[in-house]
Amino acid sequence: MRPVDIFQAIFAFLALVIPISSAQPLNDFCVAPTDTKSGVFENGEFCKDPKRVTPSDFFYSGLNIPGNTSNQFGVNVTAVTVEQLKGLNNNGLALTRIDFAPNGVNPIHHNPRGTEVMVVLKGILYVGFITSNPDHRLVAKILRPGDVYVFPLGLIHFQKNIGKTHAVTISAYSSESPGQITTANTIFGSVPPIQSDVLTKSFQIDEKLVAYLQTRDWTRP
């Protein structure tokens, strides 16, 4: 995938996602300050003093660089949220690049603060989300380059590379800080751990399996 193809996809994505963003900025911009000394309040938002704003506050470089997928999931997520790009603050928009090794899985998770729109740049993916109770219906599809899929706000979802080559996607979110809650990491990797009897009854499994699962590394790259 040429760098120009990646950035063309990003621009097309921005045009698609901006209309669904729920943010309604009251200023030209509200760059997130790095410290309280450089910030001011404008219309109820704590923002970097506009006189100290620079082009760097609105710039990020690196989405053309492949991520390292040599981990237990075979996936790497390069995020461009308000943490990495301060100029996104108050604009209700963020991006991620996701790289998948063959058979790589972006593990089951949800974004509590943003709808996700994904476009496949390279590879073949099996993706899906699950509806809320009482139906908990799986809504899944196989995607190929150029395909777009929406993961609604707050619903559990996943992506898996089912092709024989590396896969690359770009996702946009209707929040500058969509959040990330990986299901297994939250349940079995909490600090301090959830009491085993809660987990054994919740999942109908024995204590030995709970103990084993709590020793695993569930951290998503």
Side-chain angles (χ1 to χ4, degrees):
M1 179 66 63
R2 298 176 301 169
V4 66
D5 294 332
I6 293 176
F7 290 111
Q8 285 175 346
I10 292 173
F11 285 127
F13 236 23
L14 293 177
L16 176 66
V17 173
I18 285 175
I20 68 172
S21 172
S22 60
Q24 297 293 328
L26 301 178
N27 313 304
D28 286 343
F29 48 76
C30 176
V31 174
T34 55
D35 59 78
T36 56
K37 294 181 181 179
S38 63
V40 296
F41 276 101
E42 292 189 9
N43 294 321
E45 296 285 345
F46 192 63
C47 312
K48 185 176 181 179
D49 187 340
K51 296 179 181 179
R52 303 180 66 177
V53 165
T54 69
S56 295
D57 293 318
F58 302 93
F59 175 78
Y60 176 90
S61 180
L63 282 187
N64 61 317
I65 301 173
N68 182 2
T69 58
S70 59
N71 53 66
Q72 71 269 37
F73 299 113
V75 68
N76 185 281
V77 179
T78 302
V80 187
T81 70
V82 70
E83 293 297 320
Q84 293 79 30
L85 182 54
K86 299 301 183 182
L88 287 175
N89 193 44
N90 206 36
N91 280 296
L93 186 67
L95 294 169
T96 58
R97 168 183 171 139
I98 309 178
D99 291 273
F100 299 82
N103 205 40
V105 174
N106 191 9
I108 296 172
H109 65 281
H110 71 278
N111 308 111
R113 298 185 294 273
T115 295
E116 177 180 356
V117 185
M118 170 179 282
V119 61
V120 179
L121 303 183
K122 178 182 177 182
I124 304 175
L125 299 177
Y126 170 60
V127 309
F129 63 84
I130 302 171
T131 63
S132 57
N133 291 341
D135 296 330
H136 46 81
R137 184 166 62 95
L138 175 62
V139 183
K141 191 170 180 62
I142 294 176
L143 305 182
R144 292 175 171 82
D147 289 345
V148 177
Y149 207 74
V150 176
F151 302 94
L153 172 66
L155 295 187
I156 288 176
H157 57 278
F158 62 89
Q159 300 102 21
K160 178 182 179 180
N161 181 4
I162 60 173
K164 296 181 180 179
T165 63
H166 278 70
V168 181
T169 67
I170 294 288
S171 286
Y173 304 83
S174 60
S175 169
E176 63 266 40
S177 182
Q180 169 74 41
I181 299 179
T182 306
T183 305
N185 188 45
T186 302
I187 295 171
F188 298 107
S190 67
V191 180
I194 299 173
Q195 291 184 359
S196 61
D197 62 333
V198 175
L199 297 177
T200 56
K201 290 185 179 179
S202 295
F203 293 97
Q204 297 296 293
I205 56 179
D206 61 42
E207 291 187 4
K208 290 183 178 180
L209 181 55
V210 168
Y212 169 75
L213 293 173
Q214 289 181 325
T215 65
R216 308 297 294 170
D217 181 10
W218 300 104
T219 306
R220 192 199 72 171

